[in-house]
Amino acid sequence: MRFRSSSALLATCLGAAVAFTGPAYVGGLPSATAAHDTVYVAMGDSYAAGVGIEPMVSSRLCSRSAVNYASLVAWELAAAEFRDVTCGGADVGDFAAPQIGMTGRTEAPQYDALSADTTLVTVGIGGNDIGLARLAVGCLNPTRREGYSCAASSNSDGTDVYADKIREFTGTYGEVIEEIRRRAPRAEIVMVGYPTAFRPGGCPDVQPVLPADADYVQARLEQLNAVMKEEAAAHGARYVDLIPSTRGHDACAAPEQRWVEGMIPVMPGGTPLHPNAAGHANAAKEVLATVRGAH
């Protein structure tokens, strides 16, 4: 991948979020490239791809942004080679098999981007496997109608459907890490968790979700993060926890402080309950802190 100039790359997302420094640029490429041998592969779903955030660099199927956290990390590390195969709608099955869109267009399996010379891999996956998007849509309650709660319906027979799905999914993270290591034995593997979506009690006057349901969505998101972290530790990978840094920047925050869009996005190109450009800038900062702390 050829990198944009620093001004073009950063203007969209960094000014509103975090201070970010990087290498000088010459002729559109990082001047430090010759001194670095980082071969970086970014894998994952829409949270990793930066769906909807301009400028886009992929097909409509993936809606991958040129300013997602992986692109910012690659720029800051002056990576010698950067392969971003993150894709909106991806689940773990799309790591090993082609991802097929509604129009029939396909994307190559994400594992195919890995190679023996890969030195860094970031992975953000799992939300689509356990149905977090479907859960969130089911929690919409703009009229605050009585007798309806997505949290209650998910526990209607005394078992928590989504909590059970996450528990069943736990070992899959370990399988992903081991397959990446098999294909890229030199790589530092970094699992990237999901950011804060709702603060305690939500904000029913701002986002059309009842307090109990906002808490339920957040609890399942944090449960998924917890099993990702557990499996990362068990399989020798690193884990980036985005929850602490995104507290106060959730979907309930004022628009200028919001790093995760609400049910009705306020930022151009925003996707409901997904990180916006500022959220990706923050994620890049957290990933870089983890990567640099590993060496």
Side-chain angles (χ1 to χ4, degrees):
M1 171 183 178
R2 291 187 64 84
F3 293 82
R4 292 174 172 268
S5 68
S6 57
S7 58
L9 182 61
L10 299 180
T12 305
C13 59
L14 296 184
V18 292
F20 219 80
T21 59
Y25 275 64
V26 177
L29 287 171
S31 60
T33 296
H36 291 255
D37 61 357
T38 299
V39 177
Y40 173 23
V41 175
M43 302 171 60
D45 58 19
S46 55
Y47 274 72
V51 294
I53 303 172
E54 295 290 346
M56 310 302 294
V57 292
S58 72
S59 68
R60 287 178 179 268
L61 169 57
C62 290
S63 296
R64 187 183 307 123
S65 175
V67 290
N68 60 17
Y69 70 74
S71 295
L72 299 178
V73 167
W75 178 83
E76 180 72 7
L77 294 177
E81 188 170 349
F82 174 41
R83 307 169 194 149
D84 187 353
V85 291
T86 57
C87 193
D91 58 30
V92 166
D94 299 312
F95 283 7
Q99 184 172 346
I100 304 174
M102 294 180 65
T103 63
R105 181 186 175 93
T106 62
E107 292 287 329
Q110 293 192 27
Y111 282 141
D112 287 2
L114 300 167
S115 57
D117 64 345
T118 303
T119 60
L120 174 65
V121 181
T122 54
V123 185
I125 201 71
N128 293 321
D129 294 88
I130 61 100
L132 276 182
R134 183 168 60 252
L135 168 63
V137 170
C139 291
L140 284 171
N141 192 353
T143 62
R144 304 188 195 180
R145 64 187 186 275
E146 296 182 5
Y148 174 78
S149 165
C150 65
S153 64
S154 298
N155 292 270
S156 59
D157 62 354
T159 60
D160 190 324
V161 174
Y162 288 95
D164 287 348
K165 285 182 178 180
I166 293 170
R167 282 191 287 270
E168 292 168 2
F169 186 72
T170 300
T172 304
Y173 281 125
E175 294 170 4
V176 166
I177 293 167
E178 293 304 324
E179 181 61 17
I180 292 171
R181 182 167 290 115
R182 186 183 72 81
R183 295 177 181 238
R186 295 178 54 207
E188 182 76 32
I189 303 169
V190 180
M191 307 298 291
V192 182
Y194 291 90
T196 305
F198 292 109
R199 60 194 60 187
C203 48
D205 292 332
V206 178
Q207 301 297 339
V209 179
L210 296 177
D213 293 341
D215 287 345
Y216 181 74
V217 170
Q218 185 63 30
R220 298 290 72 76
L221 186 153
E222 293 192 25
Q223 181 190 359
L224 183 62
N225 280 347
V227 299
M228 187 190 303
K229 179 179 180 180
E230 175 185 310
E231 288 295 289
H235 293 269
R238 294 187 174 265
Y239 172 72
V240 176
D241 185 359
L242 294 180
I243 294 293
S245 64
T246 54
R247 289 194 183 105
H249 298 282
D250 55 88
C252 296
E256 65 274 10
Q257 291 295 319
R258 193 176 297 171
W259 294 353
V260 171
E261 290 297 309
M263 295 299 196
I264 302 175
V266 296
M267 295 298 289
T271 301
L273 288 188
H274 279 65
N276 54 27
H280 276 273
N282 174 71
K285 179 182 177 183
E286 297 296 318
V287 170
L288 283 164
T290 297
V291 170
R292 287 169 170 161
H295 300 289

